Amino acid sequence: MTRPVAPQHMVTRFAPSPTGRLHVGHGWSALMAMDLARSSGGTMRLRIEDIDGTRSRPEHVTGIIEDLRWLGVEWDGDILFQSQRIGIYEAALDRLRAVGLLYPCFCTRADIQASLTAPHGPEGAVYPGTCRALSTQVRARRIAAGDAHAWRIDMARAAARAGPLSWRSFDEDASSAVFADAGVHGDVVLARKDAPASYHLSCTLDDVAMGVTHVLRGDDLRSVTDIHRLIQALLDLPSPAYRHHPLLMDAQGQRLAKRSGSLSLAQLRAQGVDPRILAADLRAGRFPVGISYGKA
């Protein structure tokens, strides 16, 4: 089912995390990434984002591969596993630390919530910079004592170092430059307490390692593309072009998600659905009953 990688102009990718079975939205996105590459004679790569030690499961890796093959999704070359690239992430973090762009953060989510003047929940909350003000001595002492900590980027310093940035958005007919304003996200985490790298860092480094030229992903990730563009600039990395497709929603208007038990490809297979018909329907924008386009 896989084919050896050949040099091509366009390289796309599909990058699921093995924290559950793929739902219909994943299948739709994977087909789009494959079709985009094939339309230009390019290649499509598969990446397994398996560095979440608390949620990633080997059986889900097997399930992802089964689901994609059942749907007719073919990828090129070997599968890239993030768990095999820990040293790459650590080296990038060392580079950013060496130029004073990272600092350790000892705050819990509860700490962050309590410090916000208008809290709206730890998910999506802009970090108030509590640990940025800690002295070098305090930081060193707490790290030596074994205090759990994440590594955050000093966004103001990073933005000043990188200067004005933009990323390229593409569609079927044209491309355009989008101004990147990573500062609105605050001092985001680049290495979590429970993982060697955040999504922002690992995704950015992996796309470069895989030679990805065009990233096609959900509209919920449009805003964080600014962060990825900043990391590219700080580490002197090339920047792919991006397309952010609409999300699929269930009958209650909620985005499809593994954690909410959204209709999975495995369920459809168990129901005897013909994968060729399903793939054709997804390509045509026809979804199973109760599923429709939506926004992040």
Side-chain angles (χ1 to χ4, degrees):
M1 188 63 71
T2 60
R3 304 180 304 169
V5 174
Q8 297 289 346
H9 173 71
M10 178 181 286
V11 180
T12 66
R13 50 80 161 170
F14 179 60
S17 57
T19 56
R21 298 305 291 258
L22 299 182
H23 56 60
V24 172
H26 290 127
W28 182 51
S29 188
L31 285 170
M32 284 193 287
M34 181 183 72
D35 291 349
L36 176 63
R38 301 292 182 254
S39 69
S40 67
T43 61
M44 201 275 275
R45 302 292 309 278
L46 176 62
R47 177 168 77 236
I48 302 295
E49 301 192 337
D50 60 344
I51 56 174
D52 187 332
T54 61
R55 299 174 61 215
S56 295
R57 297 287 185 272
E59 59 268 28
H60 295 322
V61 175
T62 301
I64 286 170
I65 294 172
E66 289 175 351
D67 291 341
L68 292 176
R69 286 176 171 166
W70 174 76
L71 191 60
V73 175
E74 297 183 350
W75 56 93
D76 302 295
D78 295 332
I79 301 172
L80 185 145
F81 290 86
Q82 287 189 334
S83 57
Q84 299 174 358
R85 291 176 46 78
I86 305 304
I88 303 297
Y89 308 143
E90 291 175 344
L93 290 167
D94 286 342
R95 283 185 60 185
L96 296 174
R97 271 191 291 262
V99 292
L101 296 182
L102 299 185
Y103 63 88
C105 175
F106 305 93
C107 296
T108 65
R109 289 187 175 185
D111 294 333
I112 296 171
Q113 173 105 0
S115 66
L116 295 172
T117 57
H120 52 282
E123 293 295 337
V126 175
Y127 180 65
T130 307
C131 289
R132 189 192 319 125
L134 295 178
S135 68
T136 301
Q137 293 77 12
V138 170
R139 293 174 181 175
R141 184 171 67 251
R142 295 196 63 175
I143 291 174
D147 290 357
H149 59 280
W151 286 93
R152 291 185 180 272
I153 187 167
D154 187 322
M155 191 60 76
R157 287 188 178 185
R161 184 180 182 91
L165 296 171
S166 64
W167 49 269
R168 185 160 57 97
S169 175
F170 74 96
D171 55 28
E172 291 83 353
D173 302 316
S175 62
S176 60
V178 179
F179 173 69
D181 183 13
V184 299
H185 299 277
D187 295 354
V188 296
V189 170
L190 293 193
R192 292 172 17 213
K193 299 175 184 180
D194 58 349
S198 70
Y199 170 75
H200 303 308
L201 183 66
S202 59
C203 171
T204 302
L205 293 172
D206 293 343
D207 282 343
V208 173
M210 299 174 82
V212 174
T213 61
H214 292 71
V215 174
L216 190 151
R217 59 189 182 187
D219 198 52
D220 55 326
L221 294 171
R222 177 182 296 272
S223 65
V224 302
T225 303
D226 293 354
I227 300 171
H228 301 177
R229 181 65 189 94
L230 175 65
I231 294 171
Q232 291 158 2
L234 296 174
L235 296 174
D236 301 314
L237 302 175
S239 180
Y242 295 87
R243 181 192 297 172
H244 298 92
H245 61 71
L247 302 180
L248 296 187
M249 302 293 190
D250 62 21
Q252 288 70 47
Q254 299 299 312
R255 53 179 285 194
L256 301 189
K258 299 172 194 170
R259 62 181 176 273
S260 59
S262 296
L263 182 63
S264 70
L265 298 180
Q267 288 174 303
L268 292 174
R269 182 164 69 252
Q271 294 170 11
V273 170
D274 186 325
R276 293 167 298 180
I277 295 176
L278 175 62
D281 284 344
L282 293 178
R283 287 184 168 106
R286 297 187 297 266
F287 307 110
V289 174
I291 296 176
S292 59
Y293 291 115
K295 283 289 185 180

